[in-house]
Amino acid sequence: MARILSGIKPTGNLTLGNYIGALKHFKDFQDSGEVYIFIADLHALTLPIDPEFLRNNIRDLAAFYLASGLDPKKATIFTQSSVPEHAELNAILQNYLYMGELSRMTQFKEKSKNMKDSAIGLGLFAYPVLMAADIVLYDADIVPVGEDQIQHVEITRDVVNRINKRYGKDTLVLPNYKINKVGARIMSLSDPTVKMSKSDPKGDIFLRDDMKTVRKKIMSAVTDLGSEVKYDKENKPGISNLLTIYASIKEVSIEEAEAHFVGYRYGDFKREVADAVVAELELFQQRYQQIIDSKEYLPVLREGAARAKLIASKTLKRVQNAVGLLDIDND
Ligand code: AMP
Ligand code: TRP
């Protein structure tokens, strides 16, 4: 059975981009594979974050996972920090990834570009090492992510190949990323040439926005010249982004979405996109609120950590043995 693993950082303000590119699809794997979904709380520390804000984001993300339809009986849901093997494997893997390749990572370059060297934490630089540990710890075959994370899965593959070459081909499992055909990169509503990200309140839809705000943001999304609702990323980036959002939410292809909107004016088109997003988010938020109020995420996270540890500890042992650390219980 395929092993599927993914995670999201609890840095707050999850967007519709996170939802469409990642969160919404995690549940699709739980009937056919063994699914591990975690909260990348250690990764959230790679940029300064307030402790109380972080703790709340972790609760939120746990509730988002459950509200998205992940079933804790089928999927193992846990926090990264509750399974210390992540940090332990990180300490080993960091010796097999190099300064040059880490400094070429797009995410690192983007996040550090306006920072002085004296303010860039080592954790931000070494981010992909911990991410590689997250993935290989569960012998994951498939890693569903948005487009911006492909590079990090690629570097994980590099380190797996490097280690297997040196210590034997069965040391680590080689993972593959999985990108959605539609919606792997949702763009900002105020500037459809840049990615929707957590730091742009105007162009983003946040998963906790109220429905009036969601509707308003979609109705005032930047559109393009012309009047036809057509998918054309180059000449109609705004319309193409809205079509992508609609197709992802309705779970139809871009072609089907285009066919549906033939003859529509931009205004009516936007109204229907807003209706679709509101219908989905409204239900999602109701479930989220119920989970937060009942605190049902807590036993889920506890049980998830225990289940995750069973797998993680075995992999860690295997790697420790392979690299030459002495097993003091079985020498
Ligand atoms: P992060 O918020 O960086 O932890 O990202 C969590 C997941 O959401 C990752 O799989 C990202 O690739 C995905 N993601 C983030 N922003 C977008 C976006 N604008 N469009 C599609 N996927 C996204
Ligand atoms: N780096 C991912 C992001 O920013 C989050 C993440 C951490 C992750 N570890 C992972 C995703 C392992 C997939 C697998 O979105």
Side-chain angles (χ1 to χ4, degrees), residues 6-11 14-23 26 107 111 127 144-149 183-187 195-198:
S6 196
I8 297 180
K9 288 191 299 286
T11 39
L14 247 64
T15 70
L16 190 65
N18 295 126
Y19 182 75
I20 289 176
L23 183 56
F26 292 162
Q107 180 172 303
K111 299 220 158 157
Y127 185 108
V145 283
E147 213 171 80
D148 61 346
Q149 294 301 313
R185 189 174 168 85
I186 299 295
M187 310 307 277
K195 191 185 84 168
M196 184 181 280
S197 73
K198 293 166 177 169

Side-chain angles (χ1 to χ4, degrees), residues 5-7 9 38 40 43 107 127 131 134-135 143 145 149:
L5 171 130
S6 196
K9 288 191 299 286
F38 71 100
H43 275 118
Q107 180 172 303
Y127 185 108
M131 179 153 164
D134 299 337
I135 295 171
V143 184
V145 283
Q149 294 301 313

Side-chain angles (χ1 to χ4, degrees), residues 105-238:
M105 292 287 109
T106 309
Q107 180 172 303
F108 173 70
K109 286 197 283 192
E110 271 173 16
K111 299 220 158 157
S112 62
K113 75 174 174 235
N114 295 321
M115 293 165 79
K116 288 200 197 105
D117 270 2
S118 58
I120 301 171
L122 187 54
L124 185 65
F125 183 67
Y127 185 108
V129 183
L130 180 58
M131 179 153 164
D134 299 337
I135 295 171
V136 299
L137 205 44
Y138 298 91
D139 290 339
D141 309 292
I142 303 171
V143 184
V145 283
E147 213 171 80
D148 61 346
Q149 294 301 313
I150 293 179
Q151 207 179 28
H152 290 157
V153 182
E154 297 279 12
I155 203 172
T156 303
R157 290 173 60 85
D158 292 343
V159 75
V160 166
N161 285 326
R162 220 167 268 163
I163 285 186
N164 285 353
K165 201 164 156 211
R166 177 139 172 211
Y167 300 105
K169 66 175 176 34
D170 296 327
T171 313
L172 296 175
V173 171
L174 189 67
N176 290 289
Y177 60 81
K178 175 99 175 40
I179 296 288
N180 297 315
K181 270 213 243 40
V182 179
R185 189 174 168 85
I186 299 295
M187 310 307 277
S188 160
L189 297 177
S190 59
D191 178 359
T193 61
V194 303
K195 191 185 84 168
M196 184 181 280
S197 73
K198 293 166 177 169
S199 51
D200 168 20
K202 249 195 0 246
D204 285 2
I205 290 179
F206 297 115
L207 295 186
R208 295 191 54 199
D209 276 347
D210 63 75
M211 293 307 128
K212 221 173 121 196
T213 307
V214 171
R215 206 173 269 286
K216 202 165 126 207
K217 284 180 179 171
I218 295 179
M219 291 312 290
S220 50
V222 168
T223 46
D224 315 291
L225 290 176
S227 57
E228 232 186 330
V229 179
K230 259 203 109 22
Y231 188 85
D232 176 349
K233 248 175 147 173
E234 195 107 314
N235 301 307
K236 290 184 172 242

